[in-house]
């Protein structure tokens, strides 16, 4: 049999590559705009005819190209942006694969004019379906001007595949938005069939977002800002009340490149957990900056998918960052309802939450030096006092009988139906899981276990910092057997565990005894408690800035917290609420789960309309 393998002609190879890189007119818009950005342009104009099927025209004032470069730029794998393989790990440009122009020229009629800033004459080249039809010197302004006409004219199957003009235009606008949001310092305009759709002066990120999405966006943006050695996060997240049921305003940028990142999207969504109905999606515009050596943008031909070296860490940092911003801005307005000033709980969210819970500065160690600790302690106490003051006011409101209209719903079991008899506070426990408390703005809902976790956490942290043992309850020693792995783990955290009130003795041959447990523990079974601590310790990721003590405190608080399903006496409920609002951060558990939520009167009224 004769040899049958042949090398494909470039024109065919380019057409095949074009299938990946150029899927529709919007891909051309993206690639050309990105080239203009890479060329250092200050002003980039995009002109579209017939949703890009007859013309995509991009004019920039960037560096321009020499005659040779202009010709070479249409060769496959022709790029000025990387030279050697190592450069792939230090990419600061949008492009680097050198395929876009070759791909576009394979499936369209292209006319390019380009001129270097210090040249008198530029170059004009015409290429149809990879074939150079004309190349001449031409006088043209500095910069590059590329017109891509009749996309897919030579690939009828693909041309047919194009969707309606409005759909294709929507894709173009999407791509345009991604580039302009990533580069607010560049001026951009977009015209379609002689109509100006966008004209965006150079500005900052916030102004650019507003210029693109409209003035209403202004009130919707909550600042996001976290800097760690691994990643810097800046940007904005949308307020929960403006979340929508459809995707559209969710943007991640890594080093000024738009990226799709379903995994990190979950970090953001997770932070909104319990704040938003599960089918609603908040807007976000999140700009991440990381060392290019720690990311890989070369995993997909269109480079919209990016792989991070430390993805799980970044997930946590992002989640914590969004949580923190929401904590500052979210719960507060819903409690800040009252016109008569009867109830005003100044939750810590109003001030920057310095401590504790989720510390995202990876260099930050609250235990490292005395001064640091004193600052934190002062901060902590100030917040605690202001919470307490606010909480007293809340009671004042309740005593005035503001809750008269609250009728238990049909899900309340019999025990709870009697709760009005609980006293003047009218506090309910529902399903032995939630505590419901009428407040002036509606119904305050508290997750009992999470509330207790928060209280215990702060207590344990205090104990660990000051090296004082939390008051212990003596108990008849309980013994249990552990395997080697658990024994080793226990010896690692033994000191912290002891400080939090669990006294452990080693009895030899894998057996230990537990001689005390924290006074505040609501878990009566010390053996179960220790098992939970070990389990939690194994499965809990340490937060980026967390010390071992914080992790132990988190695990201990989970193990010792009042479990769901436990009926609480009214005095216990009051105590829980009191202690919760004395916490530095009553809004969230140390791991970032919402503790409290409010059903506003408005919502109640809407339900019964
Ligand atoms: P890549 O962007 O991956 O390098 P492209 O095919 O998009 O590949 O472009 C090839 C080369 O052409 C670029 O590396 C750049 O040197 C040059 N080029 C393309 N567009 C422009 C432009 N608007 N201004 C200046 N140079 C450009
Ligand atoms: Mg390019």
């Amino acid at each position: 049999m004769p040899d049958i393998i042949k090398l494909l002609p470039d024109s065919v190879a380019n057409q095949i590559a074009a299938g990946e890189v150029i899927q529709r007119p919007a891909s051309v818009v993206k690639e050309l705009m990105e080239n203009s950005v890479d060329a250092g342009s200050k002003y980039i104009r995009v002109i579209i005819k017939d949703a890009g099927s007859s013309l995509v025209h991009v004019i920039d004032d960037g560096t321009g190209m020499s005659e040779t470069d202009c010709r070479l730029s249409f060769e496959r794998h022709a790029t000025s942006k990387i030279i050697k393989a190592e450069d792939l790990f230090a990419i600061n440009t949008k492009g680097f694969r050198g395929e876009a122009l070759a791909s576009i020229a394979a499936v369209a009629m292209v006319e390019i004019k380009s001129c270097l800033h210090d040249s008198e004459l530029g170059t004009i080249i015409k290429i149809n379906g990879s074939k150079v039809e004309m190349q001449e010197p031409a006088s043209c302004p500095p910069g590059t001007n590329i017109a891509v006409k009749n996309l897919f004219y030579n690939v009828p199957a693909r041309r047919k595949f194009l969707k309606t003009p409005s759909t294709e235009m929507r894709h173009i606008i999407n791509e345009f938005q991604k580039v302009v949001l990533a580069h607010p310092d560049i001026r951009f305009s977009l015209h379609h069939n002689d109509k100006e759709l966008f004209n965006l002066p150079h500005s900052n990120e916030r102004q650019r977002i507003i210029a693109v999405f409209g003035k209403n966006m202004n009130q919707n943006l909550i600042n996001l800002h976290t800097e760690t050695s691994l990643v810097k996060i800046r940007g904005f997240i949308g307020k929960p009340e403006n979340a929508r049921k459809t995707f559209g305003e969710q943007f991640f940028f890594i080093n000024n490149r738009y990226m799709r990142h379903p995994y990190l999207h979950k970090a953001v969504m997770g932070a909104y957990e319990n704040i938003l109905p599960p089918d609603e999606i908040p807007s976000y515009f999140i700009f991440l900056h990381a060392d290019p050596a720690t990311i890989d943008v070369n995993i997909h031909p269109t480079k919209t998918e990016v792989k991070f070296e430390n993805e799980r860490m970044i997930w946590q940092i992002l989640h914590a960052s969004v949580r923190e911003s929401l904590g500052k801005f979210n719960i507060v307005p819903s409690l800040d309802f009252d016109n008569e000033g009867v109830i005003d709980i100044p939750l810590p969210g109003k001030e920057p939450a310095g401590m504790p819970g989720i510390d995202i500065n990876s260099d930050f160690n609250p235990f490292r030096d005395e001064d640091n600790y004193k600052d934190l302690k002062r901060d902590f106490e100030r917040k605690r006092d202001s919470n307490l003051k606010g909480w007293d006011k809340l009671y004042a409101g309740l005593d005035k009988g503001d809750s008269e209209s609250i009728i238990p719903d049909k899900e309340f079991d019999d025990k709870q139906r009697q709760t009005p008899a609980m006293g003047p506070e009218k506090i309910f426990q529902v399903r032995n899981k939630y505590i419901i408390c009428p407040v002036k703005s509606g119904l305050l809902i508290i997750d009992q276990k999470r509330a207790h976790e928060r209280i215990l956490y702060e207590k344990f942290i205090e104990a660990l910092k000051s090296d004082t043992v939390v008051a212990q309850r003596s108990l008849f020693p309980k013994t249990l057997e552990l395997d080697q792995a658990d024994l080793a783990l226990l010896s690692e955290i033994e000191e912290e565990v002891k400080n939090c009130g669990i006294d452990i003795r080693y009895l030899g041959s894998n057996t230990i005894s537990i001689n005390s447990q924290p006074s505040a523990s609501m878990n009566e079974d010390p053996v179960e408690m220790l098992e939970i601590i070990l389990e939690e310790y194994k499965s809990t990721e340490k937060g980026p800035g967390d010390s071992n003590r914080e992790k132990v405190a988190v695990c201990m608080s989970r193990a010792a917290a009042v479990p769901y399903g436990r009926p609480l006496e009214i005095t216990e409920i009051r105590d829980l609420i009191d202690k919760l609002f004395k916490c530095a951060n009553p809004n969230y558990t140390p791991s970032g789960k919402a503790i409290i939520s409010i059903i506003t009167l408005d919502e109640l009224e809407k339900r019964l309309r």
Side-chain angles (χ1 to χ4, degrees), residues 317-333:
I317 296 168
L318 178 62
H319 183 268
S321 174
V322 175
R323 259 299 185 204
E324 195 198 11
S325 290
L326 281 173
K328 283 185 207 163
F329 293 91
N330 172 44
I331 295 284
V332 179

Side-chain angles (χ1 to χ4, degrees), residues 145-426:
N145 177 326
I146 305 189
V148 175
K149 296 177 188 160
N150 306 321
L151 183 66
F152 300 136
Y153 79 101
N154 54 349
V155 201
R158 304 216 65 180
R159 197 161 169 94
K160 253 188 263 158
F161 184 73
L162 292 180
K163 300 273 170 13
T164 61
S166 64
T167 304
E168 293 302 339
M169 203 52 214
R170 193 159 44 75
H171 285 289
I172 288 176
I173 290 172
N174 278 344
E175 292 301 337
F176 180 84
Q177 286 175 346
K178 289 170 192 169
V179 180
V180 303
L181 290 172
H183 298 281
D185 50 329
I186 301 175
R187 181 181 167 199
F188 290 94
S189 65
L190 174 64
H191 286 79
H192 182 217
N193 292 343
D194 299 326
K195 200 171 146 219
E196 183 181 273
L197 301 185
F198 291 95
N199 191 344
L200 310 167
H202 86 97
S203 59
N204 61 29
E205 278 151 3
R206 189 182 188 108
Q207 288 165 345
R208 178 54 58 88
I209 292 167
I210 293 162
V212 171
F213 292 102
K215 286 217 175 58
N216 285 346
M217 188 53 94
N218 195 17
Q219 297 101 48
N220 184 31
L221 298 177
I222 300 173
N223 263 313
L224 201 63
H225 189 106
T226 296
E227 295 206 1
T228 69
S229 51
L230 209 58
V231 65
K232 292 188 175 56
I233 302 176
R234 276 182 299 115
F236 306 92
I237 52 172
K239 293 189 179 158
E241 59 262 36
N242 294 321
R244 304 216 188 127
K245 289 209 160 49
T246 50
F247 277 92
E249 291 166 0
Q250 290 73 37
F251 294 87
F252 279 125
F253 301 92
I254 173 70
N255 298 346
N256 297 99
R257 171 198 303 281
Y258 169 83
M259 67 166 182
R260 242 175 58 77
H261 212 295
Y263 178 67
L264 290 184
H265 172 73
K266 285 200 193 112
V268 178
M269 293 307 291
Y272 280 83
E273 199 187 13
N274 297 337
I275 300 175
L276 278 183
D279 56 344
E280 291 191 5
I281 312 150
S283 323
Y284 59 78
F285 307 89
I286 299 178
F287 301 85
L288 306 163
H289 288 269
D291 180 349
T294 64
I295 59 178
D296 185 357
V297 289
N298 197 23
I299 54 172
H300 193 262
T302 61
K303 302 179 253 65
T304 45
E305 275 161 46
V306 174
K307 185 111 195 62
F308 289 85
E309 199 175 279
N310 301 299
E311 216 144 73
R312 284 163 67 93
M313 276 297 237
I314 291 179
W315 194 101
Q316 287 197 16
I317 296 168
L318 178 62
H319 183 268
S321 174
V322 175
R323 259 299 185 204
E324 195 198 11
S325 290
L326 281 173
K328 283 185 207 163
F329 293 91
N330 172 44
I331 295 284
V332 179
S334 52
L335 284 170
D336 215 14
F337 46 86
D338 177 47
N339 311 332
E340 297 139 52
V342 181
I343 307 164
D344 175 27
I345 308 175
L347 290 182
K350 279 186 177 168
E351 301 143 37
M355 212 237 96
I358 322 157
D359 285 317
I360 24 218
N361 176 355
S362 55
D363 294 320
F364 175 75
N365 177 354
F367 308 109
R368 192 165 37 212
D369 71 77
E370 267 301 293
D371 291 348
N372 215 347
Y373 166 62
K374 275 186 207 138
D375 280 354
L376 284 170
K377 193 159 180 221
R378 216 178 305 121
D379 192 31
F380 180 91
E381 282 164 358
R382 187 170 47 76
K383 274 175 197 152
R384 188 184 57 197
D385 294 346
S386 73
N387 287 333
L388 184 60
K389 242 185 275 150
W391 189 237
D392 287 345
K393 284 192 210 150
L394 176 62
Y395 276 118
L398 289 167
D399 288 338
K400 285 189 181 155
D402 286 309
S403 55
E404 256 140 41
S405 59
I406 309 301
I407 302 161
D409 69 37
K410 66 174 186 308
E411 278 185 40
F412 281 30
D413 61 28
D414 281 341
K415 182 174 179 288
Q416 282 140 1
R417 277 188 189 287
Q418 297 158 14
T419 44
M422 274 179 170
E425 291 97 351
K426 298 195 175 92

